Amino acid sequence: MQDGDDTDALADLRRELAALRSERDARSAALFEAVAATAIDAIVTIDAGGVVTQWNRSAERIFGRSAAEMLGADIAEIIPAGFRDAHRAGLVRARDTGTYRVVGRTVELEGLRAGGARFPIELSLSTWRHGDARYFTAIVRDISERKQGEQQLRRYIEELARKNTELERSHNELLRSNRQIAQLFSAVVEALPGSEIDGRYALHERIGTGGFSVVYRGSELATGRPVAIKVFRPSGGVITSAQLARFGREGEWRIRHPNAAVVLDFGVARSGIPYLVMELLTGETLADARRRGPPPRLGRVLAIALIVAEVLQAAHADGILHRDIKPENLFLHRDEAGGEVLKVLDFGIAKFVRGVSDDASVELTGTGHVLGTPRYIAPERLTGAKYDGRSDVYSLGVLLYELVVGVSPLGLRGGTPWEAVTQHMTHQPRPLHDVDPGLPRSLSELIDRTLAKDPEARPRADELVVALREIVAEVEADPVLAVRITRAAAFGVAETLDDERTESS
């Protein structure tokens, strides 16, 4: 009897354990049902035969079929016909072999809405066992919007690639065109000496060359007056005949100041070449003087800066910006008496702003181009922001800094154009007084203001003139200070980075 009692007790224990297990499974199933019912993604469970045993509200929304309709139904009803045979074959293989190769995989398939429309879905599949029965649960996501976004992105990338190809082709064509223009222009440059322009001006020898123009010594045929004639590339360069004609309609191309180079005439030759006729100057540019001559003394540097500021004051009063103040555009002219007269050149690239809106103002470089020399250009012009005469003041500040101490305020020794542009935007120049403590503090403070990144913090040209006159008077009152040369030149050091020293030969 004892053996029978032990057997009955063991059976009772097993039944109790089975009941506990069933209760646990029921609690787990209830918890899973609660979670599944509120899930954002569709949760669908099927048995090994493909019969739906669970269908949450998100599945109703995604597939357009209610739980009442789908519970107990064949899962194939939401699978497009093209996938049904493969689906059934997979279930049979899983049931017969006990292998479930889809477990843990995320796959993309097509679902079938109630109306018969197909749509892309993403399935994350898992398998689990309850007793001897095996079930599959799929978490389903409708990825229609994602697929549409991917298609749009793919079309955008394809369109971008097509446009890039067209742009590259256009760029190559432009390069070829510009090379042809350069070759033709070079041939014209060599052929022009000894010829005439429109029967009005005779061209003699070439006296200067720039990136987009050539200057000749010439004469006016009617009077014999000697002149300088600058001819431009007919197209693809700084100026075109149409732009020159438009500029001529806007106003006179001249600055009313004795230290501004006088433009006597401008036009477009019958050959299509734009030209300017200017007073003929004798001497050299400040750039040439710096390279060949002794370093300038402080008094002379300030006198030059004051003259340039006065010319800018007159130009700005007429609504004209220079936009390219640099040593190459400051000419040390020798007059008939042998005296030196500083002339500001190249107002030919100025922006005429008086009487026209910003949109209608004349940009001689064409839309989207920034005209000027990277080493001296103001930050606001690099960003495309609106600018005024204080951009010229900034350029003069860069030049004055270089002339006074012999190093660049940009903290670089030449560098590439892009490096110069970056420095204008981000680099804070060392105060002049820190570079050379022997300089007047008033000069250091003034140059700091001209180099302010914010144009609102800079002086206008008329304010700069007043300040420079006071500093000139201060320096002239001290004979030792007036003859002081740049500290870098005094130590035999070439133009350098702020913290580098490179010995000059």
Side-chain angles (χ1 to χ4, degrees):
M1 292 294 293
Q2 187 174 357
D3 288 342
D5 291 342
D6 289 344
T7 300
D8 292 341
L10 183 58
D12 291 342
L13 181 59
R14 286 175 175 170
R15 283 192 293 273
E16 185 177 348
L17 288 173
L20 290 172
R21 185 181 300 111
S22 178
E23 182 181 354
R24 182 202 63 190
D25 291 344
R27 286 198 303 269
S28 298
L31 179 61
F32 181 77
E33 289 284 350
V35 172
T38 58
I40 296 175
D41 296 321
I43 296 181
V44 178
T45 300
I46 62 173
D47 62 17
V51 175
V52 177
T53 62
Q54 184 180 40
W55 189 267
N56 73 344
R57 284 195 294 271
S58 291
E60 293 182 347
R61 174 180 53 79
I62 290 177
F63 291 98
R65 292 174 168 86
S66 67
E69 178 185 357
M70 289 305 300
L71 289 175
D74 189 341
I75 190 65
E77 291 185 20
I78 66 167
I79 299 174
F83 292 99
R84 289 176 185 174
D85 292 340
H87 170 73
R88 288 195 179 94
L91 287 178
V92 171
R93 183 171 60 252
R95 183 181 64 240
D96 293 346
T97 64
T99 60
Y100 299 88
R101 298 182 184 279
V102 296
V103 173
R105 290 180 57 191
T106 298
V107 295
E108 290 185 7
L109 298 172
E110 280 188 332
L112 192 67
R113 299 198 196 278
R118 296 186 177 196
F119 67 103
I121 58 177
E122 182 180 82
L123 277 67
S124 298
L125 301 169
S126 61
T127 183
W128 51 282
R129 186 183 294 276
H130 182 63
D132 294 333
R134 186 176 294 276
Y135 296 88
F136 295 95
T137 294
I139 297 178
V140 184
R141 296 181 180 87
D142 182 351
I143 57 174
S144 301
E145 292 185 1
R146 191 182 80 188
K147 286 296 183 181
Q148 290 174 358
E150 289 175 352
Q151 290 175 357
Q152 291 175 352
L153 179 61
R154 187 161 49 250
R155 286 195 295 269
Y156 172 76
I157 292 174
E158 291 172 353
E159 180 66 12
L160 186 63
R162 184 185 65 79
K163 289 183 177 180
N164 281 341
T165 300
E166 292 178 356
L167 182 62
E168 184 176 359
R169 183 167 57 250
S170 298
H171 177 68
N172 291 336
E173 290 175 357
L174 179 62
L175 288 177
R176 285 194 297 271
S177 175
N178 281 344
R179 281 196 294 269
Q180 292 173 351
I181 290 171
Q183 291 170 353
L184 290 172
F185 188 64
S186 296
V188 169
V189 165
E190 297 303 324
L192 280 178
S195 63
E196 297 177 359
I197 292 182
D198 293 346
R200 299 176 61 195
Y201 300 101
L203 295 173
H204 307 313
E205 74 270 19
R206 181 171 48 178
I207 57 176
T209 303
F212 300 97
S213 63
V214 176
V215 182
Y216 297 89
R217 187 187 308 277
S219 60
E220 187 176 26
L221 293 176
T223 64
R225 175 176 56 174
V227 293
I229 302 173
K230 176 181 285 191
V231 298
F232 297 90
R233 288 186 183 180
S235 64
V238 166
I239 186 172
T240 67
S241 57
Q243 289 168 327
L244 182 62
R246 182 178 63 180
F247 189 87
R249 291 194 299 270
E250 296 291 351
E252 291 185 350
W253 204 346
R254 64 187 65 187
I255 308 299
R256 297 169 180 83
H257 193 281
N259 291 100
V262 178
V263 176
L264 302 171
D265 192 9
F266 58 88
V268 181
R270 285 189 291 270
S271 60
I273 297 178
Y275 65 91
L276 288 177
V277 181
M278 303 169 290
E279 63 174 323
L280 182 64
L281 302 176
T282 303
E284 61 182 353
T285 66
L286 181 60
D288 291 334
R290 290 177 67 191
R291 283 190 290 266
R292 292 199 288 263
R297 303 181 185 277
L298 181 59
R300 175 171 166 77
V301 167
L302 293 176
I304 290 173
L306 176 57
I307 292 173
V308 177
E310 290 173 343
V311 174
L312 291 178
Q313 179 184 11
H316 296 172
D318 279 344
I320 300 175
L321 311 182
H322 188 282
R323 299 197 298 166
D324 200 19
I325 294 295
K326 60 182 179 180
E328 289 79 3
N329 282 333
L330 304 181
F331 198 90
L332 304 175
H333 170 57
R334 292 289 176 185
D335 60 20
E336 295 179 356
E340 182 181 273
V341 180
L342 179 70
K343 293 281 188 175
V344 180
L345 308 178
D346 243 353
F347 272 98
I349 66 167
K351 180 180 181 181
F352 196 90
V353 296
R354 183 182 61 182
V356 292
S357 67
D358 288 339
D359 293 336
S361 59
V362 178
E363 294 281 358
L364 296 185
T365 55
T367 303
H369 291 71
V370 176
L371 185 57
T373 303
R375 185 164 164 173
Y376 298 95
I377 199 165
E380 63 269 21
R381 292 190 54 214
L382 298 169
T383 62
K386 290 186 177 181
Y387 61 92
D388 56 20
R390 286 169 292 192
S391 63
D392 285 340
V393 169
Y394 180 92
S395 301
L396 179 55
V398 175
L399 174 59
L400 185 54
Y401 191 107
E402 291 179 349
L403 291 174
V404 170
V405 293
V407 294
S408 171
L410 300 182
L412 51 86
R413 186 179 56 253
T416 67
W418 291 115
E419 288 173 337
V421 165
T422 300
Q423 293 296 87
H424 282 302
M425 301 297 298
T426 62
H427 179 70
Q428 189 61 44
R430 288 172 58 188
L432 206 67
H433 196 263
D434 289 353
V435 180
D436 186 351
L439 293 171
R441 190 168 293 276
S442 57
L443 176 60
S444 178
E445 293 173 353
L446 177 61
I447 293 183
D448 283 347
R449 290 172 56 208
T450 65
L451 296 178
K453 305 296 184 188
D454 180 5
E456 295 294 332
R458 295 180 212 139
R460 299 188 308 271
D462 56 341
E463 296 171 331
L464 181 60
V465 167
V466 173
L468 281 173
R469 284 174 180 167
E470 293 176 354
I471 295 172
V472 167
E474 178 184 352
V475 170
E476 288 179 346
D478 185 343
V480 175
L481 190 58
V483 298
R484 182 187 182 90
I485 62 173
T486 63
R487 186 166 187 174
F491 282 97
V493 179
E495 189 174 280
T496 66
L497 292 163
D498 281 346
D499 296 320
E500 287 187 24
R501 292 297 183 197
T502 303
E503 297 300 325
S504 61
S505 56

